[in-house]
């Protein structure tokens, strides 16, 4: 009987990981720079809203808990430890709603350094990951944040409702604009990539509709892309360009937000058929990941992965 139960549990885990349908939610909206308490309350409110829509996971933008429009000193003053009361409040909301949650925030590290991080809670309210951004954008981020270490790019098992487990990879904004981080996570087994973002208008505003679908297609993963919207605090900085999205493993748009929503925020919802027909057809036609593994094994990319760096 014990062995039968073990076999049943293993079968259920395999099935939940490889073939399941779930509802994903992506929040696009403004956060109030400097007001951590207000932003935490917003997260809890949106978690409740997403739960009412039967979502299994909800994703929030980059540095949502602090706001992006702060100088280095202001941001460091608002950095949170993963076990802070603010973070625990979000964990309780995740547990109450039985929903996985990913939120961008400034993390206070073990030695006092500050990271641009994304916290991930499973549906039981357990903090399972605090991903630290690897590719810091521009001189301000480089001067403000410590860089995540190479072990950051690992896919995580995240429990979601109905006894299923999601293989999740986390990237933050600029990370997604390089092909290598997404590929690392996909090769590590990630079926869904979450990408909290704070992207402004201007020359880069095409990224949500060009690079993001490309990352999904070339890695045959779903991408949950959550951007801020609206004006920034400094009038000289461009407004955030919105355009958050849920993208399928062929690069197809499942859901797309406008640049600015009506009412100061929008909750995108989309159905993810993990291991379903869209994924199977994509892999059968273009087995990108298997071909990459084979070529790496054969040493074809050695000059790219080693000698050039």
């Amino acid at each position: 009987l014990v062995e039968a139960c073990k076999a049943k549990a293993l079968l259920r885990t395999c099935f939940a990981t490889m073939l399941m349908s779930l509802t994903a939610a992506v929040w696009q909206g403004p956060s109030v720079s400097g007001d951590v308490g207000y932003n935490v309350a917003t997260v809890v409110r949106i978690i409740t809203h997403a739960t009412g829509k039967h979502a299994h996971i909800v994703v929030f933008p980059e540095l949502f808990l602090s706001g992006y429009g702060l100088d280095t000193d202001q941001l460091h003053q608002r950095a949170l430890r993963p076990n802070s009361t603010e973070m625990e409040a979000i964990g309780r909301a995740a547990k109450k709603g039985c929903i996985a949650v990913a939120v961008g925030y400034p993390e206070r590290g073990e030695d006092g350094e500050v990271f641009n991080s994304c916290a991930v809670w499973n549906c039981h309210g357990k903090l399972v990951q605090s991903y630290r951004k690897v590719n810091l954008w521009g001189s301000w981020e480089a001067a403000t944040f410590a860089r995540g270490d190479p072990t950051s790019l690992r896919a995580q098992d995240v429990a979601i409702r109905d006894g299923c487990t999601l293989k999740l990879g986390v990237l933050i904004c600029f990370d997604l604009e390089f092909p290598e981080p997404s590929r690392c996570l996909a090769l590590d087994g990630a079926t869904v990539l979450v990408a909290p973002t704070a992207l402004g208008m201007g020359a880069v505003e095409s990224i949500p509709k060009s690079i993001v679908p490309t990352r999904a297609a070339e890695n045959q993963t779903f991408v949950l892309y959550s951007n801020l919207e609206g004006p920034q605090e400094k009038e000289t900085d461009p407004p955030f360009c919105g355009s958050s999205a849920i993208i399928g493993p062929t690069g197809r748009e499942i859901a797309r937000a406008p640049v600015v929503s009506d009412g100061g925020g929008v909750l995108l919802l989309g159905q993810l058929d993990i291991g379903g027909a869209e994924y199977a057809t994509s892999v059968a036609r273009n087995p990108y990941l298997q071909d990459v593994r084979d070529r790496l094994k054969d040493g074809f990319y050695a000059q790219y992965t080693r000698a050039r760096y």
Side-chain angles (χ1 to χ4, degrees), residues 11-221:
L11 179 62
R12 185 178 186 185
T13 299
C14 292
F15 180 80
T17 301
M18 297 306 296
L19 180 59
M20 61 178 169
S21 181
L22 63 96
T23 301
V26 168
W27 173 250
Q28 175 181 297
S31 64
V32 178
S33 290
D35 196 337
V36 174
Y38 181 89
N39 296 329
V40 169
T42 298
V43 168
V44 171
R45 176 174 59 85
I46 299 305
I47 288 173
T48 302
H49 183 34
T51 300
K53 297 294 184 180
H54 309 291
H56 292 77
I57 182 171
V58 59
V59 182
F60 293 84
E62 180 179 11
L63 293 176
F64 191 80
L65 295 188
S66 61
Y68 195 86
L70 301 174
D71 63 32
T72 298
D73 289 339
Q74 292 171 329
L75 198 144
H76 282 199
Q77 291 167 8
R78 290 160 178 80
L80 301 171
R81 295 193 184 275
N83 62 351
S84 66
T85 56
E86 293 88 350
M87 301 291 278
E88 288 176 349
I90 296 172
R92 288 194 298 271
K95 182 178 181 179
K96 182 179 180 180
C98 197
I99 184 173
V101 179
V103 179
Y105 77 112
E107 177 189 357
R108 176 76 63 188
E110 299 83 355
D111 298 321
E113 66 272 63
V114 176
F115 297 91
N116 185 338
S117 296
C118 175
V120 179
W121 291 266
N122 66 19
C123 69
H124 307 301
K126 179 181 178 181
L127 183 66
V128 295
Q129 183 182 18
S130 187
Y131 167 75
R132 295 167 171 177
K133 189 174 184 179
V134 171
N135 295 287
L136 301 173
W137 176 76
S139 58
W140 177 77
E141 283 197 6
T144 301
F145 300 108
R147 189 183 307 278
D149 63 45
T151 63
S152 299
L153 296 172
R154 295 288 186 271
Q156 300 290 325
D157 290 324
V158 178
I160 58 173
R161 197 173 62 247
D162 303 325
C164 295
T165 299
L166 190 63
K167 200 74 169 180
L168 197 73
V170 183
L171 299 168
I172 298 175
C173 199
F174 198 42
D175 285 328
L176 196 67
E177 296 172 33
F178 298 84
E180 292 86 359
S182 300
R183 180 55 51 86
C184 285
L185 291 167
L187 289 172
D188 199 37
T191 54
V192 176
L193 302 179
V194 302
T197 298
L199 189 71
M201 291 184 178
V204 297
E205 66 184 83
S206 64
I207 286 171
K209 295 184 178 180
S210 57
I211 290 178
V212 176
T214 298
R215 293 292 169 266
E218 68 191 3
N219 293 295
Q220 293 163 330
T221 59

